Amino acid sequence: MEKKEKPKQWKLLIALSVLLALSGQIHGQNLKISSVSLKGDDVIINYDLLDENLQHKYTLSLYSSQDNFVQPLKMVEGDVGIDQKIGGNKRVVWHAKDELGEQFKGDVSLEVKGRIYIPFVTLNNFADISSIKRGKDYNVTWTAGRGSNVLTFDVFDKKGEIVHTYTNIANVGEYQMQMPKDVKPGKDYKIRITDQKNKEDVVFTPNFSIKRRIPLFVKVGLAGLIASAIYLTTSNIQGESAPGEVPLLPDPITPF
């Protein structure tokens, strides 16, 4: 009887270092790792981000020794990415098995890198847009940025999935945007604005909702009225005819 080989057990050993690359080296900035733990196939990193200037925000990324700390890890969630506020009890979850694959077994060193977040463009009017109607034009305006930039607008739903992309947008300070009709109505949408040449230049809009241009109840009401009108017209014509006879049209009105 042949012995069945046991499947290789997925195993990960973690070593963590912190590199907080801060712009300007202002006093009072500190990233403190409070704990690192494994939970199933995930790595949980808890940290505090401290700064004397409470108005500062940071871009934080997690890197691994798998590629010699070149590209940020993708399968992460929590308090990571751009626009991170100062504060304690922050948490990053790395889905290590999803990133490394089922067959991985070995040691990985992690590195947290951060810098003060400075938006490469500033949106002028998007804070006033709480909802967007499909098929309607919206003029989005912004300031700053380099004139040679070519921008991309990615529309994200509340699950974090891209549902539409506007590409090759000239950095001229405004763009007339129209949400396509195949994007589902809903809440908690946002747009990510990036520089096509420098993927680290990222800005997110505030959350907004997407609505139908014509509300659904209006469409249903109109359909009901049309159906009722057709039914009444047909009933009136049939009511004036004997059974089995072809309905006759009323006599034309005699002109004056």
Side-chain angles (χ1 to χ4, degrees):
M1 184 175 178
E2 294 182 0
K3 293 184 179 179
K4 292 184 178 180
E5 292 185 3
K6 293 183 179 180
K8 294 181 179 179
Q9 185 178 2
W10 193 85
K11 187 176 180 183
L12 177 68
L13 298 177
I14 294 294
L16 181 70
S17 62
V18 177
L19 174 61
L20 189 58
L22 302 175
S23 304
Q25 297 299 315
I26 303 172
H27 294 293
Q29 299 163 336
N30 184 28
L31 190 151
K32 180 181 178 182
I33 303 295
S34 55
S35 66
V36 180
S37 60
L38 288 172
K39 186 177 180 180
D41 301 327
D42 296 336
V43 179
I44 313 296
I45 302 170
N46 295 285
Y47 72 91
D48 301 325
L49 182 59
L50 308 177
D51 193 319
E52 292 178 352
N53 187 339
L54 299 181
Q55 302 303 315
H56 281 166
K57 294 182 180 180
Y58 286 81
T59 296
L60 296 176
S61 301
L62 188 64
Y63 295 77
S64 82
S65 56
Q66 284 299 101
D67 66 348
N68 199 27
F69 311 103
V70 174
Q71 296 292 333
L73 296 171
K74 296 179 179 179
M75 305 304 295
V76 294
E77 61 180 342
D79 300 309
V80 66
I82 70 169
D83 208 13
Q84 297 298 320
K85 297 179 180 179
I86 304 301
N89 299 318
K90 294 182 175 292
R91 187 171 184 258
V92 178
V93 179
W94 177 39
H95 303 297
K97 189 173 183 179
D98 294 337
E99 185 109 34
L100 300 173
E102 294 275 351
Q103 303 302 318
F104 180 84
K105 184 178 181 181
D107 300 345
V108 171
S109 295
L110 298 179
E111 191 171 78
V112 180
K113 297 181 183 180
R115 59 185 174 86
I116 293 177
Y117 172 63
I118 302 175
F120 78 107
V121 296
T122 302
L123 296 169
N124 295 335
N125 62 337
F126 212 96
D128 300 327
I129 302 176
S130 60
S131 63
I132 289 178
K133 291 184 177 181
R134 301 182 305 187
K136 182 179 178 181
D137 290 336
Y138 289 86
N139 194 41
V140 180
T141 65
W142 63 89
T143 56
R146 297 178 294 276
S148 60
N149 292 19
V150 179
L151 308 179
T152 297
F153 288 13
D154 291 311
V155 183
F156 284 81
D157 63 14
K158 63 181 179 181
K159 296 179 181 179
E161 298 177 354
I162 297 176
V163 296
H164 187 70
T165 298
Y166 306 88
T167 58
N168 299 322
I169 300 171
N171 187 23
V172 294
E174 65 177 348
Y175 178 68
Q176 189 160 287
M177 181 185 72
Q178 185 180 109
M179 193 65 62
K181 295 179 181 180
D182 60 352
V183 177
K184 295 181 179 179
K187 298 180 179 179
D188 297 328
Y189 282 89
K190 61 184 176 182
I191 297 175
R192 180 182 66 187
I193 302 173
T194 55
D195 180 356
Q196 291 185 3
K197 293 182 178 179
N198 186 357
K199 299 303 182 182
E200 292 187 358
D201 284 343
V202 180
V203 169
F204 280 97
T205 67
N207 286 9
F208 57 90
S209 60
I210 293 179
K211 298 181 178 180
R212 295 177 174 87
R213 187 162 188 173
I214 300 176
L216 185 60
F217 73 89
V218 175
K219 290 184 178 180
V220 173
L222 287 173
L225 288 173
I226 293 171
S228 299
I230 293 172
Y231 172 77
L232 289 172
T233 302
T234 305
S235 299
N236 288 336
I237 293 174
Q238 290 177 348
E240 295 172 1
S241 306
E245 294 183 357
V246 177
L248 298 176
L249 295 174
D251 295 332
I253 298 173
T254 304
F256 291 103

